[in-house]
Amino acid sequence: GGDHPAYRDAGELHLLRIDPRQGKLANFADGKSEHVIATFPQDRPVKPRAWEGALVANKAFDADWCRHEALGLAATKDRLYVSLFYENKLLVLDSEKGEQTGELSLDRPAGLATDATGTLYAISGKRVMKLAADGKFAPVVTDVLDAPVGLATDAQGNLYVSDWGATMCVRVFSP
């Protein structure tokens, strides 16, 4: 609860810009530090939330616990990507303006990451997908994940996947 926009404005997803040096809000090109980047039906029926650790412990993990919040955020020099699980899409935003410039379709998107070259990787259901130059996603990890949620890369191009499935581990995949 509280005054944070994610709780204050039901049905809206807010993007806030923060200056990493000062740890304070910073303005986008239009002078605002906050933009609404998505809206959702406020009356959409949702499953009651349960603590995600309890879901994992009971082998009942399903990303449906997330309701309609973004599950992933990744950045390149000039773009931000935000995954919207229930909408089966990624928002593409201009990082300076904080405005949407595009949209990518992807089934059950969760964690996102970009590598040193700016290539986007995304969790889709139980797979990790790579955004190709033609704007389409191609699978790069397809058969070993139970319940992937988080995704990161390192300077060598390795993928780190937080898998909340039966093994509850971080799996590492080399390029």
Side-chain angles (χ1 to χ4, degrees), residues 6-52:
Y7 299 102
R8 181 183 70 225
D9 302 321
E12 294 181 347
L13 180 62
H14 292 240
L15 177 69
L16 288 82
R17 189 171 197 191
I18 299 172
D19 181 330
R21 294 176 302 274
Q22 298 179 7
K24 296 180 180 178
L25 291 176
N27 290 337
F28 288 103
D30 65 359
K32 297 178 183 177
S33 62
E34 178 180 334
H35 287 177
V36 174
I37 59 170
T39 57
F40 309 96
Q42 291 186 31
D43 60 349
R44 175 177 23 193
V46 294
K47 295 180 181 180
R49 283 187 163 205
W51 175 58
E52 50 270 26

Side-chain angles (χ1 to χ4, degrees), residues 107-170:
D107 187 47
R108 296 172 54 96
L112 303 174
T114 54
D115 65 15
T117 68
T119 300
L120 176 67
Y121 293 87
I123 291 172
S124 174
K126 294 184 177 188
R127 303 179 303 168
V128 176
M129 309 292 280
K130 177 180 178 179
L131 184 61
D134 66 1
K136 295 182 182 178
F137 283 97
V140 292
V141 178
T142 60
D143 60 356
V144 295
L145 301 170
D146 293 323
V149 177
L151 187 60
T153 61
D154 65 19
Q156 290 74 39
N158 294 307
L159 289 171
Y160 297 82
V161 182
S162 173
D163 192 349
W164 289 13
T167 58
M168 290 189 272
C169 65
V170 173

Side-chain angles (χ1 to χ4, degrees), residues 17-99:
R17 189 171 197 191
I18 299 172
D19 181 330
R21 294 176 302 274
Q22 298 179 7
K24 296 180 180 178
L25 291 176
N27 290 337
F28 288 103
D30 65 359
K32 297 178 183 177
S33 62
E34 178 180 334
H35 287 177
V36 174
I37 59 170
T39 57
F40 309 96
Q42 291 186 31
D43 60 349
R44 175 177 23 193
V46 294
K47 295 180 181 180
R49 283 187 163 205
W51 175 58
E52 50 270 26
L55 293 170
V56 171
N58 294 323
K59 308 283 190 272
F61 177 83
D62 187 334
D64 284 345
W65 64 266
C66 72
R67 294 202 281 179
H68 50 245
E69 291 95 4
L71 287 182
L73 175 68
T76 65
K77 180 181 176 185
D78 57 351
R79 290 184 183 164
L80 298 173
Y81 298 94
V82 179
S83 63
L84 301 179
F85 180 81
Y86 275 115
E87 284 69 33
N88 292 313
K89 67 183 176 184
L90 305 180
L91 301 180
V92 182
L93 306 166
D94 178 295
S95 61
E96 287 301 313
K97 295 179 180 179
E99 297 173 353

